[in-house]
Amino acid sequence: RLMRSLVLIGHGSHLNGESAAAVYRYAEMIRARGLYDEVVEGYWKEEPSLRQVLKTTASTDVTVIPMFISEGYFTETVIPREMGLGHQGPVPPEGVARVLGGRTVRYTLPYGVHPSMSDVILARAHEALPDSSPEDTALIVLGHGTTRNENSNKIVYQNAEVLRQSGQFASVHALFLDEDPKVGTWPEMVKAPRVVVVPFFASEGWHTLETIPEDMGLEGAVTTFVDNPNGQQTVYYAKPVGTHSAVADVILHLAEEAAGSSTSDGDTERVHDAAWNAFMDRARQGLRFGEVLVQPESGMFELRHALDEGKPGHELQTLVTPEGVRDFTRRDEGGHHRPVHTLRNMPRGWRAVMGQADLVRAVQYLYPAVIEETYAQSCHTLRPTPWATTARRQTGIYAKVQKATPEQLEEVAADVCGGCLRTRLWAGEKLPQTFFDGVPGAIPCAEACTFLVAEVREEVAGKRGGGAS
Ligand code: SF4
């Protein structure tokens, strides 16, 4: 039987958990359709990281979709570099295909540049104004606009043109927040009495909630009456395209097109399979790893915080889905976001009871890439990446971490990694045994994580001073 993995790549955030939420949502929607054997998420600033995500996929046929609204620095530079795709710069329309360590990996354009995004714009427009008409309704497709990347503007113009051709609106306009034609000039351009505005933005945020309504002279409300030289106009302000459920269809179109006439016959990836088989063997006997404890329980498995061992079940909140486990453990007990899952701050007070397939997914959420990397360490196949290599690879605002002195690096690492279960192989530390050998807290760190890199950058910039940032 053919086996296929779909990987959705998001930006993520070290500071707030909401950034990853959109990617979770699309992954869940696509998973529910059952077209792929698995839908995996990976992030720049969360886990599994871009460096790790490929090894967390179970099949040898992997399609990677960047969950970005436009092409740019992340889709052309950061993601291909960090994932080791051996590609830099603009991605061709057919995507980039590589064979990496036994997996066929296809990397596509970001979802936002797919032609079917015009359907999503239309869907948003109809939500805001169900009875729009070619007689009296204008459509504004509103882009960010940036001098750095003309491609992101091109896509707004293209979508506007497609919708103009559709004849469903009296006029269709492409306007931008940060460049000409600016959104504030809309009263000069748009004459129709009813105006639908659809932000071509990835998510709801400062721009969609504040700057756009402000620049347009709206009250931030969904519907605003505006008195212009054109007479009174009614503006219907839609939600951003990037959060519409139809984006799931765009993702699937992209993935199918990337696979194209590909003859790759996906199979179970052997190393991944061996790691999880080894994990399940231990789990059947009861296993402690990291901060958790897994125990067999009448054909199912129970997972809980190891410090809650022996607590009666009724004193703990029972979770029944992998997503439930993910959401409960996304924050520490103080309510702070946990971008690094191996930091010793997993909240207590829960237990999860589930079958084998769900246990695997719950563990993937609890400790992304940990089973794969720890298993590789126990087989002596995990290759550490020294700090100097990680530092040299950095670009943009992170390039300056190359200037960190060994003392600065050690100071930050003592602070950050001191609270982490992982052992820093990248700094020359040794880890002769792992939780596969019965040492629960023994988890390797093969390469400095982006959280540490960001903290080192703060240190070099002199902004770190006393305490966590
Ligand atoms: Fe943990 Fe430090 Fe490794 Fe990050 S770099 S995963 S904080 S040990």
Side-chain angles (χ1 to χ4, degrees):
R1 191 178 85 80
L2 297 186
M3 218 188 142
R4 302 188 303 168
S5 305
L6 183 66
V7 177
L8 306 184
I9 299 293
H11 189 284
S13 161
H14 293 149
L15 299 173
N16 94 64
E18 291 321 299
S19 172
V23 180
Y24 286 159
R25 215 165 54 88
Y26 290 124
E28 275 163 35
M29 282 161 51
I30 294 172
R31 215 171 271 137
R33 301 198 196 180
L35 298 169
Y36 284 81
D37 295 274
E38 63 174 4
V39 183
V40 170
E41 299 122 63
Y43 301 94
W44 170 227
K45 296 206 166 187
E46 293 185 42
E47 295 171 327
S49 71
L50 300 173
R51 303 291 289 171
Q52 300 165 324
V53 67
L54 284 178
K55 55 182 131 177
T56 71
T57 56
S59 86
T60 59
D61 180 285
V62 181
T63 303
V64 180
I65 314 258
M67 294 298 295
F68 288 75
I69 194 97
S70 63
E71 295 170 273
Y73 177 59
F74 284 104
T75 62
E76 296 177 352
T77 304
V78 176
I79 299 172
R81 179 190 75 207
E82 296 291 302
M83 290 187 74
L85 296 178
H87 173 90
Q88 285 285 278
V91 173
E94 68 278 13
V96 172
R98 295 281 184 271
V99 175
L100 296 173
R103 287 177 174 90
T104 299
V105 180
R106 289 181 221 89
Y107 178 63
T108 73
L109 285 164
Y111 77 85
V113 306
H114 194 271
S116 61
M117 282 304 285
S118 57
D119 297 337
V120 183
I121 298 173
L122 208 50
R124 277 293 189 226
H126 285 153
E127 275 172 14
L129 180 59
D131 68 339
S132 67
S133 109
E135 273 77 59
D136 70 350
T137 312
L139 171 68
I140 297 176
V141 184
L142 182 52
H144 191 290
T146 155
T147 45
R148 278 228 322 249
N149 185 350
E150 67 276 6
N151 262 347
S152 70
N153 310 347
K154 202 174 73 191
I155 207 74
V156 172
Y157 281 115
Q158 277 170 3
N159 280 302
E161 183 54 31
V162 168
L163 294 165
R164 198 171 292 132
Q165 298 294 334
S166 80
Q168 300 185 54
F169 297 93
S171 61
V172 179
H173 310 262
L175 299 179
F176 299 93
L177 200 55
D178 277 356
E179 68 169 60
D180 293 332
K182 286 228 171 92
V183 62
T185 63
W186 76 271
E188 298 154 35
M189 318 232 181
V190 187
K191 307 295 176 201
R194 299 196 295 167
V195 183
V196 188
V197 183
V198 179
F200 198 76
F201 279 65
S203 58
E204 203 81 271
W206 181 57
H207 284 313
T208 59
L209 297 172
E210 313 243 348
T211 46
I212 297 171
E214 202 176 294
D215 288 7
M216 291 193 73
L218 310 179
E219 285 131 30
V222 176
T223 305
T224 311
F225 300 99
V226 185
D227 277 317
N228 278 329
N230 314 324
Q232 200 187 58
Q233 288 173 296
T234 312
V235 179
Y236 301 84
Y237 185 46
K239 290 201 162 68
V241 289
T243 53
H244 196 285
S245 59
V247 167
D249 299 304
V250 177
I251 296 167
L252 288 169
H253 283 311
L254 255 175
E256 290 311 314
E257 286 163 16
S261 53
S262 152
T263 51
S264 145
D265 33 357
D267 202 348
T268 304
E269 207 283 324
R270 271 184 316 107
V271 180
H272 183 273
D273 200 40
W276 283 95
N277 284 335
F279 172 78
M280 287 311 307
D281 281 347
R282 304 299 193 289
R284 281 184 207 103
Q285 299 155 32
L287 171 71
R288 277 166 196 279
F289 64 106
E291 292 184 282
V292 300
L293 175 66
V294 51
Q295 281 175 309
E297 195 183 279
S298 45
M300 307 275 277
F301 295 90
E302 198 227 43
L303 198 56
R304 58 167 72 190
H305 198 296
L307 294 177
D308 286 331
E309 186 176 13
K311 267 215 172 144
H314 68 262
E315 287 180 21
L316 302 170
Q317 184 171 335
T318 300
L319 308 170
V320 292
T321 62
E323 285 72 25
V325 173
R326 175 193 71 197
D327 293 341
F328 197 101
T329 57
R330 266 165 85 181
R331 293 163 185 275
D332 65 17
E333 283 174 7
H336 303 107
H337 176 48
R338 302 176 63 233
V340 181
H341 293 65
T342 46
L343 289 181
R344 276 184 292 253
N345 58 6
M346 186 181 288
R348 296 173 55 178
W350 56 277
R351 68 194 275 269
V353 181
M354 42 191 50
Q356 172 166 335
D358 278 354
L359 173 72
V360 167
R361 289 191 43 232
V363 170
Q364 286 167 341
Y365 281 132
L366 278 175
Y367 284 128
V370 160
I371 304 302
E372 293 86 350
E373 292 190 339
T374 308
Y375 182 72
Q377 172 70 5
S378 71
C379 300
H380 310 284
T381 54
L382 187 66
R383 279 210 224 112
T385 303
W387 167 259
T389 308
T390 304
R392 249 196 325 271
R393 217 180 51 232
Q394 305 301 315
T395 52
I397 60 168
Y398 295 106
K400 66 163 67 114
V401 301
Q402 296 167 39
K403 298 204 189 102
T405 63
E407 293 73 29
Q408 282 177 313
L409 175 62
E410 252 331 287
E411 192 187 315
V412 179
D415 206 6
V416 174
C417 307
C420 185
L421 289 160
R422 291 190 187 248
T423 297
R424 289 184 295 143
L425 305 185
W426 56 263
E429 292 176 1
K430 298 279 175 262
L431 188 66
Q433 289 189 308
T434 69
F435 60 76
F436 281 105
D437 311 297
V439 186
I443 300 172
C445 179
E447 179 164 1
C449 65
T450 62
F451 184 62
L452 180 74
V453 171
E455 291 290 304
V456 171
R457 171 179 171 259
E458 296 281 293
E459 175 73 25
V460 172
K463 290 192 221 149
R464 211 168 168 272
S469 49

